[in-house]
Amino acid sequence: MEEEDCCATQLVDANGDFNVQGLENFTKKVKLAECGLSYAVVAIMGPQSSGKSTLLNYLFHTNFREMDAYKGRSQTTKGIWIAKCVGIEPCTIAMDLEGTDGRERGEDDTAFEKQSALFALAVSDIVLINMWCHDIGREHAANKPLLKTVFQVMMHLFSPRKSTLLFVIRDKTKTPLEHLEPVLREDVQKIWDAVPKPQAHKNTPLSEFFNVEITALSSYEEKEEKFKEEVAQLRQRFFHSISPGGLAGDRSGVVPASGFSFSAQQIWKVIKENKDLDLPAHKIMVATVRCEEIANEKLSRLTSDKAWLALEEAVQAAPVSGFGKQISSILEKYFSEYDMETAYFDEGVRYAKRRQLESKALDFVHPAYTTMLGHLRSKALESFKSRLEQSLHKGEGFAASVRTCTQSCLLEFDQGYADAAIRQANWDASKVRDKLRRDIDGHASSVRGAELSKIIAIYEKQLNLALMEPVESLLEAGQKDTWASIRKLLKRETEVAVAKFSTTIAGFELDQATVDKMVQNLRDYARNLVEKKAREEAGKVLIHMKDRFSTVFNHDNDSMPRIWTGKEDIRAITKDARSASLKLLSIMAAIRLNEKPDKIEDSLFSSLMDGAVPLPSSQDRSIKAPSDPLASSTWEEVSPKDTLITPVQCKSLWRQFKSETEYTVTQAISAQAAHRQSNSWLPPPWAILAMVVLGFNEFMLVLRNPLYLMVLFIVFLLSKALWAQMDIVGAFQNGTLAGLLSISSRFFPTLMNLLRRLAEEAQGHPTPEAPRPSYSAASQIYRNQIPEPNPTSSQIPKSSVSSNISSDDDNGVEYSSPNLMHRRTTNIQEAERSS
C-alpha cells in the first residue's frame, strides 16, 4: 500500500539525465499541482552507505532501495530519487541523493556531488545531513568534504533562500547531545569561515543562509527499537513544517506546486551547464512559464467551451438576450480559475499574464460582440424604417416623424448595447452608434427624396391636366386674346399648385432656399408645359390652318353648313377664311408668355394678304425688288427661344396652305355652276317665243278641230301621269345629263306598266302597283360625282297632277295618278272575295 502511495521515482539518473516524463507522472499521481504553496521538499545528503535511504523509509514511510549489509557495502542509490512522504501534512516530497565519497565515482569525480548538492539546496526546504557520531571533532572527518561542498555551491546561488540544515547524528554514543552539539556547531562554523566567499558575502554569518538544527539517533543495527522510537519522534517535527516556526524555515522564495516540475527541470539544466543559479530570476522565469501555460490552457478551454460555442452560433443568426452577462460569466469562470492556479506565483508576472489572457480572450470573443452590435444596429435601423412608414401613413409631419423615430430607435440601440456589454471589456460602441445614426439619416434622406418626388409628381400631373388640354383648345381656337388667356390660365393654375405644394411640404421643415428652389422648379415646369404644348401645336399648324379655313369657308355666320346656290360671294368668303387661317398662323408663330407686344400679325397680313407672294422669275431677278419682311429667320421683338415658326417658315407654310386649299375653292365654284344648271332645265325665253310664233298655225288647227283637242287632252293626261310616275323634276335636280339618262332608262318600262294597269282596270281586274324602278347604275354614279345640294334649300316642290279615271260608279275604283296608288272600297273587296 505504501509503495503505491509514495510513488518513488528516479528524478536524475547516474549519468545526470533529468527524467522529465517521470517527474510529470509523479506530480500527476500525487496531485502536487493542487497543493499551491502547501508543500515541502526534504533532501538528505551524506556519505555512501551511511543509511540515508533507511532513515527516509522509516522517517517518511517511503520505499527507497536500501543496502543489503550481508552483501557488503556498496552504492545503492544512484542519481537522485524522489517520493511522497506518506501520512505527512502538508504534502512533503522526500529527495534521496546519491552518497558522497563513493568508490564507484572515484576521488576526482566530484562534479556530480556538487551538482546534486546545489540542486538539493535550490529546491529543498529542509536538508538532512547524515553523519557519524564518531566524526564529530575530528579534523579529517567524513562529513567535512560534504559540508565544504554544500557551502561552496551555496555561493553559486544569487540571493539564496534560507534553508534548514538538520544534522542527523547516527549511532550516537553515551556522550550526551548537549556536549556534542557545541562541538559540531564549532566545526560547521570553521568550515563556513574557511569557504571562499564573494566580496558581498565576505562577512556574512552562517545564520543568514541556514537554520542549523541537530538531532541524534541510536544505532539501527544495535538498537533497532530505540532507533525506530527516536525516528518516530523526529517524524513529528515534519508535520506542519511550513507553518510559522516550523522546521521548513524561510518560505519566501518557494515555487508554487504547479510549477515545481518545470522549476526542477530548469534548475538542473542550469546546474548541468555549470552556470550560476539565480534563484530569484529563476522564480520569475518559472512564474512566467507556468502562468503562460495556465493562461494558454484557460484560453484553449474557452475556445472549446460548450456554452460559448452555443452562444457564438446563436449570435450569428439573431440577437441574443443577455449576451453580455453570458459572455462575462464565461470569461469570469476562466479568469477565476487562472487566478486560483497562479495565486502563488510572482505577483507581477501573474498580473501581467492575466492581462495577456484577458486581452486574448476578449480578442477571441470580440467578433461575436461585433456581430451582436451589427444585429442591434440592423434591428434598430429596420425598426426606424417601419416606424417611420407607419408614422407617415398616419399623416404626421415628416421631420417630426423622423425625430421621434430616431430618438426611439437610438434608445432601443443603447438599451441593447447595455445588455450586450461585457463586464471585463471597456469597448466603445460609439462608432457603431454613429454608423447607425448615419444609416438612419441616409434612409431618412432617401425617404424624404422619394416622398418629395411623389409630391412633385402629383402636382406636376395636376398642372399637366390643368394646362395641356386648355392650352391646346385655346391655341386651336386662335382668338385674338389667345395668349392673354393662356397667360391668365398659367398664372392661375401655377399659383394654386404652388400654394398647395408649399402647404404640403411644410411638414418636411426644409430650409427656405430649398423650398424656393422647389417652388421655382414647379413654376418652370408649368411654363415648360405650355411651351411644349405650343411647340407641339406649332408643328401641326398647317393642319389647324386648313381646318380653320374649311370651317370658315364651309359654314355661314350661324355655323350652319354653307350651300352653294350661286348667290354666295366666293371671293369674299375665301378671303375671310384665309384671314382666319393667317391669324391662327400668327398666333402660333411665337410664344407670348411675357406680355411683350410684337408685330408678327401685322407683318404676316401685310406680306401675305395685302400683297401677293410672287414666284421668282427671270425678269424679277433682274429688277431689284423691295425688301420682304418675311425674308428673315427671326421676328422683331421676339427672342429666338420663344420663336416657334420663323418668318421664312411662315412664308413657305402659306404657299403650301394656299395650294392645298385651292381645290376646296375650285369645288365650291363648280358646285355653284352645277346648281345653276340644275335650276335651268327649261329652254331659254327666246326659244319659247320662237316656238309660239312658229307654232301658231298648228295651235289654231287644234283649237278648230275637237278631235285633235280630245287627243291632245288624252296625251296631256298620259304625259302628266308619266311625269308624276317618273319624278321628272327630281331626276333633273342632279343635272341635265343625269336626268336624261335616268328618264331614258325608265321611260318604256313605266309606259308599259301604266298601259297594262289601265287595261286591267278597264276589265275589272286591277293588280297591285309594281314597285317603282330604281335609278340606273349610270345615273346613280353620275349623281354621286356631283356635290349634293342641301335638300332644305334647293328642293323644288312637286306639282300635284292627278287624273281620275272612272269606269263604273258601282265598281267604286279610284286612282290617284301622282303616286298611281289605288284603293278599293268595301263593296269591291267583298265582290272579289265572293268571286
Side-chain angles (χ1 to χ4, degrees):
M1 184 67 180
E2 290 181 355
E3 183 178 356
E4 181 181 357
D5 290 338
C6 71
C7 303
T9 302
Q10 187 177 31
L11 185 62
V12 179
D13 62 15
N15 297 323
D17 295 330
F18 195 91
N19 186 6
V20 178
Q21 188 61 43
L23 181 57
E24 291 291 337
N25 294 336
F26 173 80
T27 56
K28 289 180 180 178
K29 287 181 181 179
V30 302
K31 299 180 180 179
L32 182 61
E34 299 177 3
C35 297
L37 294 178
S38 299
Y39 78 102
V41 179
V42 179
I44 189 167
M45 298 180 186
Q48 180 176 306
S49 304
S50 61
K52 299 186 298 299
S53 299
T54 302
L55 176 59
L56 291 179
N57 289 341
Y58 279 99
L59 187 59
F60 299 120
H61 299 173
T62 56
N63 61 353
F64 292 119
R65 182 183 174 189
E66 300 177 8
M67 183 190 70
D68 189 352
Y70 294 102
K71 293 183 179 180
R73 304 179 67 85
S74 63
Q75 188 180 42
T76 304
T77 302
K78 295 181 180 180
I80 302 174
W81 287 71
I82 59 172
K84 180 182 178 182
C85 301
V86 179
I88 301 295
E89 290 294 337
C91 178
T92 302
I93 305 299
M95 184 180 299
D96 189 8
L97 274 66
E98 180 180 316
T100 60
D101 197 21
R103 64 180 178 83
E104 285 81 5
R105 290 192 179 271
E107 294 182 1
D108 298 328
D109 190 6
T110 60
F112 187 79
E113 293 179 7
K114 293 181 178 180
Q115 291 173 353
S116 60
L118 181 57
F119 181 75
L121 288 174
V123 301
S124 302
D125 299 291
I126 303 170
V127 178
L128 301 179
I129 305 296
N130 200 35
M131 61 182 298
W132 301 110
C133 181
H134 56 76
D135 283 339
I136 297 176
R138 296 172 57 186
E139 183 66 26
H140 298 286
N143 64 322
K144 283 190 175 182
L146 175 62
L147 288 176
K148 287 182 180 180
T149 300
V150 170
F151 294 155
Q152 285 175 357
V153 299
M154 197 70 180
M155 297 300 101
H156 291 275
L157 297 177
F158 292 111
S159 302
R161 61 180 177 141
K162 193 173 184 180
S163 302
T164 298
L165 290 180
L166 178 57
F167 288 88
V168 180
I169 302 173
R170 303 292 296 274
D171 298 344
K172 69 179 181 176
T173 61
K174 293 181 180 180
T175 305
L177 180 62
E178 292 80 4
H179 295 157
L180 295 176
E181 183 174 349
V183 176
L184 179 59
R185 288 184 181 276
E186 184 179 354
D187 290 343
V188 171
Q189 185 64 43
K190 287 181 179 179
I191 295 172
W192 172 256
D193 294 339
V195 172
K197 294 182 283 293
Q199 189 66 31
H201 298 290
K202 200 73 174 177
N203 299 317
T204 303
L206 177 66
S207 58
E208 288 191 12
F209 289 95
F210 298 104
N211 290 323
V212 178
E213 298 287 339
I214 300 174
T215 187
L217 298 175
S218 300
S219 173
Y220 171 71
E221 295 179 353
E222 297 176 0
K223 301 177 181 180
E224 183 176 355
E225 294 300 325
K226 183 67 173 176
F227 173 81
K228 292 181 180 179
E229 181 181 344
E230 291 172 349
V231 168
Q233 292 177 358
L234 179 60
R235 175 183 171 88
Q236 296 302 317
R237 297 186 65 181
F238 287 93
F239 281 90
H240 308 292
S241 60
I242 63 174
S243 299
L247 193 60
D250 183 17
R251 298 280 296 171
S252 60
V254 68
V255 175
S258 62
F260 177 80
S261 175
F262 177 77
S263 174
Q265 181 181 352
Q266 293 299 315
I267 289 175
W268 183 253
K269 180 180 178 182
V270 172
I271 292 173
K272 284 286 288 182
E273 293 174 354
N274 198 23
K275 296 179 180 179
D276 291 341
L277 186 60
D278 187 350
L279 287 184
H282 174 75
K283 178 183 176 182
I284 298 298
M285 184 269 292
V286 172
T288 301
V289 173
R290 280 300 299 146
C291 289
E292 187 169 350
E293 288 178 351
I294 295 171
N296 291 337
E297 186 263 339
K298 300 308 172 188
L299 185 63
S300 176
R301 288 180 57 195
L302 170 63
T303 59
S304 58
D305 187 276
K306 292 183 179 180
W308 155 252
L309 293 176
L311 185 62
E312 183 184 29
E313 183 179 359
V315 80
Q316 297 300 324
V320 177
S321 179
F323 176 84
K325 291 182 179 179
Q326 296 183 54
I327 290 290
S328 299
S329 176
I330 295 173
L331 292 176
E332 186 61 31
K333 169 187 173 183
Y334 291 105
F335 293 162
S336 299
E337 291 181 0
Y338 171 86
D339 292 337
M340 290 177 60
E341 295 182 22
T342 61
Y344 305 110
F345 288 103
D346 182 79
E347 182 177 357
V349 175
R350 184 172 72 245
Y351 289 153
K353 295 300 177 182
R354 191 184 197 279
R355 288 192 294 272
Q356 292 181 9
L357 173 62
E358 289 178 351
S359 177
K360 291 180 180 180
L362 292 176
D363 289 343
F364 177 71
V365 301
H366 188 265
Y369 175 78
T370 303
T371 302
M372 180 66 184
L373 291 186
H375 287 312
L376 294 176
R377 183 183 62 81
S378 300
K379 182 180 178 182
L381 181 60
E382 292 301 322
S383 176
F384 173 79
K385 293 179 180 179
S386 60
R387 289 180 181 180
L388 180 60
E389 184 177 0
Q390 294 174 1
S391 181
L392 294 179
H393 285 169
K394 293 178 181 178
E396 299 180 9
F398 182 85
S401 300
V402 169
R403 281 195 298 270
T404 303
C405 295
T406 299
Q407 292 175 358
S408 61
C409 292
L410 288 178
L411 178 61
E412 177 183 343
F413 174 81
D414 292 339
Q415 293 173 349
Y417 161 68
D419 180 69
I422 299 175
R423 186 171 63 254
Q424 294 83 355
N426 189 24
W427 290 328
D428 185 11
S430 59
K431 291 184 178 180
V432 180
R433 194 178 191 274
D434 292 342
K435 189 176 188 309
L436 172 61
R437 187 59 185 262
R438 291 194 301 270
D439 291 342
I440 288 176
D441 293 342
H443 179 71
S445 178
S446 175
V447 174
R448 182 189 298 109
E451 292 296 321
L452 289 175
S453 297
K454 290 180 182 178
I455 294 173
I456 291 173
I458 290 173
Y459 283 96
E460 286 180 350
K461 184 177 181 181
Q462 291 180 1
L463 285 172
N464 203 323
L465 294 175
L467 292 175
M468 293 297 278
E469 292 186 0
V471 169
E472 180 180 359
S473 177
L474 289 171
L475 290 174
E476 288 180 354
Q479 299 299 323
K480 186 175 183 179
D481 60 345
T482 293
W483 281 106
S485 301
I486 291 176
R487 288 193 296 269
K488 183 178 180 181
L489 173 68
L490 174 62
K491 182 178 180 180
R492 182 180 71 249
E493 298 298 335
T494 302
E495 293 302 326
V496 170
V498 165
K500 293 181 178 179
F501 178 76
S502 300
T503 303
T504 304
I505 65 173
F508 289 86
E509 298 181 8
L510 302 173
D511 57 276
Q512 191 59 41
T514 303
V515 173
D516 294 342
K517 183 178 179 181
M518 296 176 69
V519 168
Q520 187 58 43
N521 289 340
L522 192 62
R523 293 181 183 275
D524 293 342
Y525 178 80
R527 183 184 180 96
N528 291 335
L529 278 179
V530 175
E531 293 181 356
K532 177 182 177 183
K533 194 61 185 177
R535 295 183 188 281
E536 181 181 328
E537 295 302 317
K540 301 184 291 185
V541 64
L542 185 60
I543 298 175
H544 293 316
M545 290 172 64
K546 292 193 294 184
D547 290 343
R548 176 60 57 85
F549 179 85
S550 177
T551 300
V552 175
F553 189 78
N554 293 323
H555 294 79
D556 56 18
N557 294 332
D558 296 329
S559 298
M560 297 297 293
R562 198 185 298 277
I563 304 300
W564 303 108
T565 61
K567 300 178 181 179
E568 297 80 4
D569 187 353
I570 292 181
R571 181 180 296 275
I573 294 173
T574 301
K575 185 175 182 180
D576 293 342
R578 287 179 177 174
S579 297
S581 300
L582 189 59
K583 185 172 183 61
L584 182 62
L585 177 61
S586 67
I587 290 173
M588 293 190 179
I591 297 173
R592 301 174 177 87
L593 295 178
N594 298 325
E595 300 186 18
K596 292 182 179 180
D598 57 70
K599 301 178 181 180
I600 296 178
E601 184 176 351
D602 296 340
S603 299
L604 290 176
F605 273 87
S606 62
S607 299
L608 302 180
M609 287 297 295
D610 297 343
V613 179
L615 294 175
S617 61
S618 59
Q619 184 176 0
D620 294 335
R621 295 191 191 101
S622 60
I623 302 175
K624 185 176 180 181
S627 61
D628 186 357
L630 300 183
S632 174
S633 59
T634 58
W635 297 104
E636 293 183 8
E637 301 177 357
V638 177
S639 64
K641 68 182 185 66
D642 291 335
T643 301
L644 299 178
I645 307 173
T646 64
V648 175
Q649 291 173 339
C650 288
K651 192 173 182 180
S652 176
L653 284 171
W654 185 252
R655 286 200 188 98
Q656 186 176 355
F657 165 76
K658 288 184 68 177
S659 64
E660 292 183 7
T661 56
E662 197 72 34
Y663 178 73
T664 303
V665 177
T666 304
Q667 276 206 330
I669 295 173
S670 300
Q672 270 193 345
H675 191 274
R676 291 193 188 98
Q677 291 179 3
S678 64
N679 289 335
S680 301
W681 56 273
L682 292 176
W686 61 267
I688 295 175
L689 180 59
M691 290 173 61
V692 172
V693 172
L694 296 176
F696 179 77
N697 294 333
E698 288 74 7
F699 178 70
M700 294 304 296
L701 178 61
V702 171
L703 291 178
R704 292 191 185 99
N705 191 343
L707 183 59
Y708 287 161
L709 187 59
M710 181 65 68
V711 172
L712 185 60
F713 181 69
I714 293 172
V715 171
F716 171 75
L717 291 177
L718 183 59
S719 299
K720 187 66 175 178
L722 287 173
W723 183 285
Q725 184 70 18
M726 297 180 65
D727 191 13
I728 301 299
V729 177
F732 278 96
Q733 283 181 350
N734 296 321
T736 305
L737 181 58
L740 293 176
L741 291 174
S742 176
I743 292 172
S744 63
S745 62
R746 293 186 296 141
F747 178 75
F748 287 104
T750 304
L751 179 61
M752 296 303 295
N753 185 38
L754 183 59
L755 293 176
R756 184 172 60 255
R757 289 168 58 190
L758 289 175
E760 290 175 354
E761 288 291 340
Q763 296 176 4
H765 300 286
T767 58
E769 181 183 7
R772 184 179 302 176
S774 61
Y775 298 141
S776 64
S779 64
Q780 185 66 30
I781 293 173
Y782 181 78
R783 185 164 58 250
N784 291 339
Q785 293 175 348
I786 300 176
E788 190 175 29
N790 190 347
T792 58
S793 60
S794 61
Q795 185 175 1
I796 302 175
K798 298 179 182 179
S799 60
S800 178
V801 181
S802 62
S803 175
N804 297 329
I805 305 174
S806 302
S807 59
D808 194 346
D809 293 341
D810 296 335
N811 292 338
V813 180
E814 183 177 4
Y815 288 91
S816 178
S817 59
N819 296 318
L820 296 181
M821 298 291 292
H822 73 274
R823 62 182 180 83
R824 302 185 180 203
T825 61
T826 305
N827 294 334
I828 296 302
Q829 292 174 356
E830 291 178 355
E832 287 181 346
R833 283 196 296 268
S834 62
S835 61

